[in-house]
């Protein structure tokens, strides 16, 4: 399993545990249709971060939570819990991949249109894979 796949699965599982009961679904690709609220784990943007004896990846992982309503009150709560869940990911991701560094880079809520709000949560991640 690639580092990106291990990270995406870990983030999706953390979101399902933290907010899964309150959202329609946690997707790992944009849905064709879905009732709101729902969460989307975007493809991680990763680059090489290898050492002499370990494969490594460095980059960003983003989650977007979509919701509908007059105000983003429910979305704020979902975003806070999602941010905390991602920030508390265990270091072991599986198949030898481990998180070496995980830092929140940005979190914001944006109005997408009439009664449509989105929360963006982005983390910088450094991962290493033991051989």
């Amino acid at each position: 399993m690639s580092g990106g796949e291990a990270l995406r699965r870990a983030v999706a599982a953390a979101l399902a545990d933290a907010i899964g009961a309150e959202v329609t679904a946690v997707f790992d690709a944009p849905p064709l249709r879905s009732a709101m609220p729902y969460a989307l784990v975007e493809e991680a943007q990763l680059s090489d971060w290898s050492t002499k004896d370990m494969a490594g990846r460095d980059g960003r992982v983003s989650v977007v939570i979509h919701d509908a309503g007059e105000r983003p009150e429910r979305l704020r709560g979902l975003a806070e819990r999602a941010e905390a869940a991602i920030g508390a990911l265990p270091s072991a991701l599986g198949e030898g991949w481990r998180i070496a560094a995980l830092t929140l880079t940005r979190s914001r809520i944006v109005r997408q249109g009439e009664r449509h709000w989105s929360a963006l949560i982005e983390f910088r991640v450094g991962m290493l894979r033991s051989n």
Side-chain angles (χ1 to χ4, degrees):
M1 175 185 332
S2 71
E5 179 66 20
L7 180 61
R8 187 173 48 255
R9 286 183 183 183
V11 170
L15 289 175
D17 287 344
I19 63 172
E22 299 173 67
V23 297
T24 304
V26 176
F27 295 102
D28 64 356
L32 295 177
R33 290 187 299 225
S34 180
M36 291 194 230
Y38 68 88
L40 171 63
V41 180
E42 296 186 330
E43 282 292 323
Q45 300 171 9
L46 300 172
S47 59
D48 187 46
W49 197 52
S50 299
T51 66
K52 186 167 43 168
D53 59 349
M54 297 177 94
R57 300 290 179 267
D58 176 66
R60 311 236 177 203
V61 62
S62 300
V63 169
V64 181
I65 305 171
H66 295 272
D67 196 10
E70 291 284 325
R71 300 175 53 143
E73 296 307 317
R74 176 174 62 178
L75 183 60
R76 285 187 183 114
L78 291 170
E80 288 173 9
R81 287 191 299 287
E83 182 181 316
I86 298 167
L89 281 174
S91 61
L93 296 176
E95 301 219 10
W97 287 102
R98 297 186 65 77
I99 293 175
L102 186 64
T103 307
L104 177 69
T105 55
R106 66 181 171 157
S107 177
R108 65 183 290 202
I109 292 178
V110 178
R111 185 175 179 169
Q112 296 291 335
E114 187 176 331
R115 299 179 51 89
H116 182 175
W117 299 86
S118 295
L120 169 68
I121 305 157
E122 183 179 81
F123 279 82
R124 180 181 174 273
V125 62
M127 303 182 302
L128 293 169
R129 183 177 191 179
S130 58
N131 298 329

